[in-house]
Amino acid sequence: MFKKLFGKKNNSENNNQQTQQIEKENNTTESEENKKEGFFSRLKKGLSKTRKGITEKVDVILKSYKKIDEELFEELEEVLITADVGVNTTMRIIEDVKDKVKERKITEVEEIRELLKEELKEILTEVDENISLNIEPSPAIVLVVGVNGVGKTTTIGKLAYRLKNEGKKVLIAAGDTFRAAAIEQLTEWSNRAGVDIIAHQEGADPAAVIYDGIQAAKARKSDVLICDTAGRLHNKKNLMNELNKIFRIVEREYPEATKEVLLVVDATTGQNAVLQAKTFKEACDISGIVLTKLDGTAKGGVVLAVQSELKVPVKLVGVGEKIYDLQDFDPDNFVEAIFSE
Amino acid sequence: MIFESLAEKLQKSLNKLKGKGKLSEKDVKQVMREVKLALLEADVNFKVVKKFVNSVKERAVGHEVMESLTPGQQVIKIVNDELTKLMGEEQKKIEFAPQPPTIIMMCGLQGAGKTTTSGKLGILLKKKGKSPLLVACDIYRPAAIKQLEVVGEKADIPVFSMGDKQNPVNIAKASIEHAKKNGYDVVILDTAGRLHIDEELMDELENIKSEVNPKEILLVVDAMTGQDAVTVAESFNDKLGIDGVVLTKLDGDARGGAALSIRAVTDKPIKFVGMGEKLDQLEPFYPDRMASRILGMGDVLTLIEKAQANIDAKKAMEFEKKLKTQQFTFDDFLEQLQQMKNMGPLDQILEMIPGIGSKQLKKLKVDEKELVKIEAIIQSMTKEERQNPSIINGSRRKRIARGSGTNIQDVNRLLKQFKETKKMMKKMTNMEKAMKKGKFKFPFFR
Ligand SMILES: Nc1nc2c(ncn2[C@@H]2O[C@H](COP(=O)(O)OP(=O)(O)OP(=O)(O)O)[C@@H](O)[C@H]2O)c(=O)[nH]1
Ligand SMILES: [Mg+2]
């Protein structure tokens, strides 16, 4: 019954023929490749994935329209909503594009693409042109926060590795004393990155760990202290208060340090990320976002909503589970990805 | 704007339909547009929303709603009925293998909550008299095995692990042997989180499946997941043929639209929901609750159902009219009171109304005894007095108090309340305002 009501591929009333064709092509290559196994077939599959990526959803849509009309805008709206941009932000973006179409007397469908891109990039960079990590001058402290399972600990491992390679003296503090084996997990990352770690026992007061981390960073003259924290849902008052306490300790004990508070957001997250950002901002004044798991199929469009509502820029992105899978946020790439299939 | 709760939004759009009597197609369309936006905000997948809204629209426009006297409520009911239907109507349980051990394989994206859920599930099954074994198949994530071991220790459930040098397929196979030998009748395989497009790791799951033939393959999904939930669930289901879904982190404030999306594309039941980080916080899934959570209407739906069954809508309409035109009498009030009594305990009903917290509830100070008193007082009035309370003078009050076994203060209070209510009604331009303030049709209890 579900399939009938909500059937997936056969119900592509709003997909035009071109997209259907692309889908078909991909299916055949996949099933052919499934027969053979081994390294080369996998390599080929990898390539076909990229090929698919190049096929731009927005281009396909634009090609199927001769003139700029309401229907076209509706399809573009769909692209944004499907990327988790959210209803409000999507409507705002489309309205702005419409205004610009009028203002500039645009009649070519082709030009919509540039307008849309422009609009998205404007949102992503409106806070600050410079969206790189704020860790200069030394000493610096980076507090990493977020809800459960988004990739905080992994990001810290990657970031420590990267900063160390840039010649910085890095120290990390195991502020998640709650989750089972969180300390062991971070310890393993500190080994991989080749940096020192300050840790207490499971169940210890996280604020005390951070305090010790700060004292150690001062004594060892570390350039950057990166602090892990336990994952917490933002609607848990007591846990947010605990985080606020940690934040205040940082302010009090390390006033001379350059501060960066990073909220880690999983790219698969929907509109809840906006509430997350809002509440975490209140508790610990987040100054940047790390968007993780962009190696999946989710687009992470909700950061556009976060940006336009809260003006907190995305600074880094996670693109895998390996230590080098951390990149600077690139608005161009991000926007392209939202447009692609 | 974005922070305006879904409930408020929906309430707003549905309120537009209230008290209008008849519904035009345009009305329904307008409301359903807003329902659509609300569902999208709840992270229900775009395509799913589109289909859903269309099918509900079809049902709503036409007799059922057009002829109903409380059209707004009727639409909520239709929306909710359809949602519940989609969520799976009844609650589904874990299936046990006829020949133990029952093998349960947990799978899902990274960070969804598989390890914690494995432990929780173990506890749940242990309570049911089973003897579960947890198996550490995540050889990739740093300290994943250790995490399961700690969880197992806390849950007092043994953990089978072979370190991170063995292939997960072999670990799974060996664990079954171990379970058979040692009399464990449930084996829970905690696999590594993986992306649905990671073919190598998806193959690994497929291999585990074909080697140990799990009775249950559960997909663990984060309740905060957005539009991509459809792709993820579809991929895992296509590859493995999942048997059910566990929705985690539902103790957060995400609306959980993903639940609907997943149901719609896989047709597989959601079996459990994770309600906290503690190991006993795993609950069975209730489709109707989830539907109303996604809708954001709280228990107002329960109220609608009760009210629908017990209150003659036409009469309610007449009351409203009378209230507005100030013709409301004690007779009407008595009737209303009796109908309310049919609906069940009053405080329970009031609790169900969104916006009325326990604080406001205290302010309302309605207890059942009070109601009985009021009823007795009204019954001691003459017909004339009920129609025209202004004639109730001192001696009449005394008589009424005596007749009803109450005292004169009780009678005075009721008369005063009645007067105030009528005054209040006069101030209101329409019933919608009354609903907003009192959240309910019966303006007396405030
Ligand atoms: N594919 C992919 N997986 C990631 C990425 N970042 C983290 N992960 C995985 O996501 C899972 C959770 O990551 P953690 O670093 O433990 O997340 P966390 O936020 O520290 O989790 P808690 O401390 O339990 O709240 C792990 O399996 C990571 O390997 C990423 O960019 N891409
Ligand atoms: Mg962590």
Side-chain angles (χ1 to χ4, degrees):
Chain A
M1 191 209 83
F2 268 87
K3 286 269 158 67
K4 238 182 270 160
L5 248 181
F6 286 155
K8 16 172 187 175
K9 271 144 203 161
N10 40 349
N11 256 322
S12 47
E13 27 150 28
N14 38 17
N15 283 8
N16 53 50
Q17 278 186 330
Q18 272 154 300
T19 17
Q20 277 175 346
Q21 231 165 11
I22 290 158
E23 257 176 32
K24 240 183 258 157
E25 272 168 29
N26 282 329
N27 285 346
T28 35
T29 28
E30 258 165 39
S31 58
E32 270 167 23
E33 280 174 2
N34 273 343
K35 287 172 200 152
K36 296 174 268 162
E37 273 304 318
F39 177 73
F40 284 106
S41 76
R42 237 181 271 135
L43 186 70
K44 243 166 87 191
K45 269 183 214 167
L47 286 177
S48 79
K49 231 183 270 162
T50 14
R51 228 187 297 135
K52 199 172 168 185
I54 293 167
T55 324
E56 297 233 322
K57 205 175 184 174
V58 168
D59 282 344
V60 175
I61 291 172
L62 291 175
K63 274 200 193 101
S64 64
Y65 282 88
K66 292 234 161 52
K67 60 177 185 5
I68 301 171
D69 59 13
E70 206 42 46
E71 223 176 297
L72 168 64
F73 284 119
E74 259 172 45
E75 281 211 39
L76 294 175
E77 252 174 45
E78 178 178 341
V79 171
L80 295 178
I81 284 175
T82 312
D84 287 316
V85 174
V87 175
N88 289 324
T89 312
T90 295
M91 296 212 274
R92 195 195 116 187
I93 292 168
I94 297 294
E95 282 313 310
D96 284 355
V97 170
K98 278 182 187 168
D99 286 350
K100 281 185 186 158
V101 166
K102 257 192 223 145
E103 246 169 57
R104 303 184 196 172
K105 300 195 171 56
I106 289 169
T107 50
E108 293 298 305
V109 173
E110 287 295 308
E111 287 178 58
I112 298 283
R113 183 176 206 292
E114 285 314 307
L115 275 184
L116 200 54
K117 249 181 163 171
E118 200 181 290
E119 193 61 38
L120 297 185
K121 260 185 266 170
E122 228 173 79
I123 293 177
L124 291 168
T125 49
E126 87 190 316
V127 191
D128 198 347
E129 279 294 327
N130 175 22
I131 44 175
S132 61
L133 208 60
N134 184 29
I135 48 164
E136 300 290 353
S138 291
I141 182 163
V142 181
L143 191 61
V144 181
V145 302
V147 298
N148 312 77
V150 286
K152 292 175 291 300
T153 308
T154 310
T155 299
I156 290 170
K158 296 171 182 173
L159 184 60
Y161 175 75
R162 168 178 163 167
L163 294 178
K164 196 196 159 168
N165 280 352
E166 286 172 8
K168 296 223 176 326
K169 192 167 181 327
V170 180
L171 181 66
I172 59 187
D176 181 358
T177 57
F178 180 77
R179 208 209 65 198
I183 297 166
E184 285 86 346
Q185 186 188 356
L186 191 66
T187 305
E188 172 60 25
W189 277 112
S190 76
N191 291 337
R192 288 184 188 180
V195 302
D196 286 347
I197 180 169
I198 301 295
H200 291 186
Q201 296 296 309
E202 191 179 319
D205 177 9
V209 180
I210 304 303
Y211 179 88
D212 278 4
I214 292 170
Q215 304 315 322
K218 283 179 185 170
R220 301 177 196 187
K221 301 206 164 29
S222 305
D223 294 310
V224 188
L225 170 66
I226 313 175
C227 306
D228 195 10
T229 61
R232 66 199 76 220
L233 294 178
H234 55 282
N235 61 335
K236 311 249 155 141
K237 276 264 154 51
N238 55 336
L239 295 181
M240 294 311 280
N241 288 342
E242 178 193 270
L243 189 62
N244 180 257
K245 186 176 150 198
I246 292 172
F247 178 68
R248 279 185 284 124
I249 281 178
V250 170
E251 299 228 293
R252 194 184 67 210
E253 297 298 323
Y254 216 4
E256 67 271 33
T258 309
K259 259 177 258 22
E260 179 82 276
V261 183
L262 294 176
L263 175 73
V264 181
V265 174
D266 183 329
T268 37
T269 314
Q271 298 313 299
N272 196 245
V274 183
L275 293 177
Q276 289 170 23
K278 183 180 184 257
T279 327
F280 275 99
K281 194 168 185 211
E282 278 161 16
C284 60
D285 198 22
I286 53 171
S287 50
I289 285 169
V290 184
L291 190 60
T292 59
K293 310 187 194 175
L294 269 180
D295 46 329
T297 50
K299 308 280 197 223
V302 70
V303 296
L304 281 161
V306 172
Q307 282 262 30
S308 67
E309 297 267 333
L310 297 161
K311 318 287 175 216
V312 182
V314 184
K315 297 199 164 174
L316 298 166
V317 297
V319 292
E321 301 185 81
K322 298 271 155 44
I323 202 158
Y324 42 78
D325 287 330
L326 184 73
Q327 299 174 357
D328 283 329
F329 177 65
D330 178 347
D332 286 299
N333 282 347
F334 181 78
V335 170
E336 286 300 330
I338 283 191
F339 284 5
S340 70
E341 192 67 46
Chain B
M1 241 289 257
I2 202 159
F3 299 121
E4 182 183 21
S5 81
L6 186 68
E8 281 166 43
K9 255 190 208 164
L10 224 84
Q11 193 74 59
K12 243 189 238 165
S13 56
L14 290 160
N15 275 345
K16 281 188 193 145
L17 288 185
K18 268 175 195 149
K20 270 198 179 176
K22 286 218 168 126
L23 261 191
S24 70
E25 196 171 328
K26 208 175 127 214
D27 281 334
V28 175
K29 222 171 144 185
Q30 165 70 13
V31 171
M32 288 317 286
R33 193 190 112 87
E34 284 175 55
V35 168
K36 177 174 144 186
L37 296 184
L39 290 175
L40 285 174
E41 200 109 298
D43 291 323
V44 181
N45 179 268
F46 187 86
K47 290 211 171 101
V48 176
V49 170
K50 235 174 157 173
K51 292 277 166 195
F52 178 76
V53 165
N54 283 340
S55 82
V56 174
K57 229 189 260 171
E58 266 169 40
R59 273 200 64 186
V61 183
H63 294 282
E64 227 179 321
V65 170
M66 308 274 266
E67 283 173 9
S68 161
L69 285 161
T70 53
Q73 292 185 338
Q74 185 97 50
V75 176
I76 303 174
K77 197 174 151 41
I78 294 171
V79 169
N80 188 60
D81 283 354
E82 294 287 302
L83 265 182
T84 309
K85 219 194 279 171
L86 289 175
M87 295 308 312
E89 290 188 277
E90 70 200 280
Q91 191 197 317
K92 290 266 172 33
K93 301 231 164 71
I94 286 276
E95 304 245 345
F96 295 104
Q99 193 77 24
T102 297
I103 300 160
I104 303 173
M105 178 163 91
M106 314 295 283
C107 60
L109 296 181
Q110 293 96 338
K114 289 168 295 302
T115 308
T116 312
T117 306
S118 298
K120 288 176 172 179
L121 197 56
I123 288 186
L124 208 78
L125 294 172
K126 222 171 87 172
K127 277 187 193 147
K128 281 192 171 173
K130 299 282 174 193
S131 148
L133 175 71
L134 294 169
V135 181
C137 291
D138 181 357
I139 58 166
Y140 309 102
R141 211 206 67 197
I145 298 172
K146 179 75 205 238
Q147 187 187 353
L148 189 68
E149 280 167 356
V150 174
V151 165
E153 199 180 307
K154 281 184 188 152
D156 194 22
I157 296 170
V159 174
F160 181 89
S161 113
M162 291 166 71
D164 59 5
K165 302 287 177 289
Q166 292 286 326
N167 175 328
V169 183
N170 293 336
I171 298 174
K173 270 203 296 198
S175 75
I176 309 304
E177 286 315 308
H178 179 80
K180 280 181 183 160
K181 234 182 270 163
N182 295 279
Y184 297 110
D185 53 11
V186 179
V187 176
I188 302 171
L189 306 175
D190 177 29
T191 67
R194 65 203 72 214
L195 288 174
H196 52 292
I197 49 169
D198 187 330
E199 310 204 11
E200 202 175 318
L201 286 182
M202 289 303 279
D203 283 346
E204 178 193 285
L205 286 181
E206 200 179 29
N207 290 337
I208 296 179
K209 179 187 172 176
S210 63
E211 285 294 338
V212 307
N213 192 23
K215 180 74 186 155
E216 289 267 351
I217 299 178
L218 297 178
L219 177 67
V220 182
V221 183
D222 188 322
M224 297 178 267
T225 312
Q227 297 286 318
D228 208 38
V230 192
T231 324
V232 174
E234 214 167 33
S235 310
F236 273 92
N237 192 38
D238 286 352
K239 185 80 174 176
L240 302 167
I242 61 168
D243 298 288
V245 174
V246 182
L247 203 61
T248 61
K249 308 178 201 173
L250 213 58
D251 50 325
D253 58 3
R255 285 279 160 214
L260 184 66
S261 307
I262 293 170
R263 271 301 299 196
V265 297
T266 65
D267 203 11
K268 295 293 162 62
I270 294 166
K271 296 198 169 176
F272 297 100
V273 295
M275 293 300 292
E277 294 188 75
K278 296 208 188 76
L279 290 174
D280 57 357
Q281 291 173 317
L282 187 72
E283 296 177 8
F285 174 73
Y286 297 101
D288 47 341
R289 280 188 210 166
M290 194 65 218
S292 63
R293 176 176 179 142
I294 292 173
L295 256 186
M297 300 290 287
D299 285 335
V300 74
L301 295 152
T302 321
L303 180 77
I304 287 169
E305 265 164 36
K306 283 198 174 187
Q308 240 195 356
N310 290 297
I311 290 193
D312 182 342
K314 262 189 193 148
K315 272 193 187 143
M317 198 53 177
E318 275 164 27
F319 281 139
E320 279 186 29
K321 234 197 216 149
K322 281 184 177 169
L323 279 171
K324 268 188 252 181
T325 54
Q326 291 234 52
Q327 289 163 1
F328 190 72
T329 69
F330 270 114
D331 270 330
D332 301 320
F333 182 52
L334 189 62
E335 201 174 328
Q336 215 179 28
L337 208 63
Q338 274 151 357
Q339 277 180 341
M340 271 197 75
K341 267 170 60 187
N342 293 338
M343 287 169 65
L346 191 66
D347 47 348
Q348 250 179 47
I349 291 165
L350 289 172
E351 255 171 53
M352 279 180 236
I353 304 169
I356 298 191
S358 48
K359 225 160 102 198
Q360 277 135 309
L361 207 56
K362 269 188 211 119
K363 253 196 285 177
L364 281 165
K365 268 197 227 149
V366 207
D367 62 21
E368 303 282 320
K369 271 187 221 142
E370 192 77 11
L371 283 187
V372 176
K373 239 190 224 170
I374 291 173
E375 214 177 326
I377 295 173
I378 299 173
Q379 270 159 351
S380 299
M381 294 177 188
T382 65
K383 206 172 167 101
E384 209 193 345
E385 284 164 351
R386 289 187 211 177
Q387 295 291 334
N388 187 9
S390 61
I391 62 165
I392 305 178
N393 57 19
S395 64
R396 283 178 195 251
R397 288 178 201 211
K398 256 184 227 156
R399 192 208 74 240
I400 293 169
R402 224 180 306 123
S404 57
T406 59
N407 56 44
I408 195 129
Q409 283 90 341
D410 291 326
V411 178
N412 283 340
R413 199 180 321 126
L414 180 63
L415 287 170
K416 199 173 156 221
Q417 274 181 348
F418 189 81
K419 219 166 123 190
E420 268 171 15
T421 305
K422 280 182 87 166
K423 228 194 288 166
M424 182 185 83
M425 291 315 297
K426 201 175 157 191
K427 279 193 211 129
M428 291 182 184
T429 46
N430 56 37
M431 204 52 204
E432 272 167 45
K433 271 192 194 154
M435 315 272 310
K436 232 185 187 165
K437 280 195 185 164
K439 312 272 185 194
F440 205 55
K441 276 210 174 63
F442 309 100
F444 255 86
F445 310 110
R446 33 178 34 248

